[in-house]
Amino acid sequence: MDRATRRGRFITLEGPDGAGKTTQAERVAGILRAHGKEVVTTREPGGTALGNRLRQVLLDAETPLQPTTETLLMFAARAEHVAHVIEPALAAGHWVVCDRFTDSTFAYQGDGRGIAKRDIEALAAFTHPGCWPDLTLCLDVPPATSTERMQERTLDGFEREDGGFYRRVREGFVKRAERETRIVVIDGSRALDVVTAAVQDAVEEFVRRLDAQG
Ligand code: TYD
């Protein structure tokens, strides 16, 4: 399904671990509902029964995977998610708010693990041709904030990575945002209410632009 035939809109939240995406994803859904939109919230890896099983494998800190395996499993979970959740929701005119999508694969498996970008591009074209977010909010936090905010959590395999990994992931997101106009970078290191206000502005601006287009 391409953008001309889909009726809903697809919004993703991205950024390094500990950036506060999950909290903001709920806020984004709330703002859209206040505009009268039907909203489906979901996340990656996951979003389907198989996707959640793959998520367990992918985040299991005890069984590190080859970067290639990790990349293929991310796209396997994504193929199910796009086919069973994202595309049907968009076709029904619902808005989809998704916590992470393929931009995470470029940043984590590409910049973080060293998988070639052209391979990720090929897998994306194979897995979800024509299905890209209309708007992506990338919450940017420095590696020190990521590690500081994660101190309270039981860490999964990704969250046990060192500062160098997070520096590469963060730079990956920022560089990708420079090339893709749909990605809006928001400084997530500020106080929660300031970040929330910036997220709200970006979503309201997107809805206004669409309404203006009719
Ligand atoms: P997330 O659900 O955001 O973590 P949290 O446990 O904080 O809610 O994401 C899980 C991890 O998966 C995160 O460290 C990033 C990683 N990830 C990738 O490496 N590649 C991907 O394509 C996706 C979607 C996630």
Side-chain angles (χ1 to χ4, degrees):
M1 188 186 5
D2 60 26
R3 284 173 194 195
T5 51
R6 81 159 63 138
R7 290 186 293 135
R9 289 292 183 274
F10 183 19
I11 299 182
T12 55
L13 279 290
E14 294 282 7
D17 289 276
K21 294 172 294 82
T22 310
T23 311
Q24 295 302 338
E26 284 309 315
R27 300 261 159 91
V28 170
I31 296 165
L32 295 173
R33 288 189 182 111
H35 278 275
K37 316 289 185 199
E38 289 263 16
V39 184
V40 172
T41 57
T42 186
R43 68 165 180 186
E44 291 209 346
T48 65
L50 176 61
N52 284 324
R53 284 163 68 187
L54 291 173
R55 180 183 176 92
Q56 284 176 4
V57 174
L58 281 159
L59 303 193
D60 180 2
E62 307 310 318
T63 53
L65 302 170
Q66 289 299 309
T68 308
T69 313
E70 192 175 89
T71 305
L72 292 170
L73 291 181
M74 288 292 177
F75 275 107
R78 188 162 296 139
E80 291 293 305
H81 194 208
V82 169
H84 295 298
V85 178
I86 298 175
E87 292 282 19
L90 294 173
H94 300 161
W95 286 48
V96 175
V97 176
C98 188
D99 192 339
R100 298 197 183 282
F101 194 63
T102 297
D103 294 316
S104 277
T105 316
F106 277 102
Y108 281 80
Q109 281 65 51
D111 297 283
R113 304 266 197 245
I115 294 287
K117 299 287 168 60
R118 66 177 177 280
D119 290 335
I120 300 176
E121 265 152 28
L123 286 166
F126 177 59
T127 308
H128 53 91
C131 181
W132 283 94
D134 298 290
L135 172 69
T136 296
L137 305 175
C138 181
L139 299 182
D140 180 39
V141 286
T145 308
S146 287
T147 30
E148 198 181 293
R149 289 187 182 169
M150 286 184 304
Q151 266 167 10
E152 311 273 297
R153 304 196 200 170
T154 310
L155 301 185
D156 64 40
F158 287 100
E159 292 166 344
R160 288 188 193 178
E161 290 292 345
D162 61 15
F165 179 80
Y166 276 109
R167 223 173 348 267
R168 295 197 298 281
V169 167
R170 182 205 188 182
E171 279 165 16
F173 277 123
V174 171
K175 285 213 192 79
R176 198 159 162 75
E178 285 166 6
R179 289 195 308 271
E180 301 277 343
T181 52
R182 73 178 154 82
I183 305 179
V184 177
V185 178
I186 291 171
D187 178 356
S189 63
R190 298 168 296 176
L192 182 60
D193 57 339
V194 180
V195 179
T196 302
V199 166
Q200 169 131 16
D201 285 350
V203 174
E204 299 281 1
E205 156 73 16
F206 178 72
V207 172
R208 241 194 327 272
R209 234 184 316 131
L210 272 186
D211 287 347
Q213 286 166 10

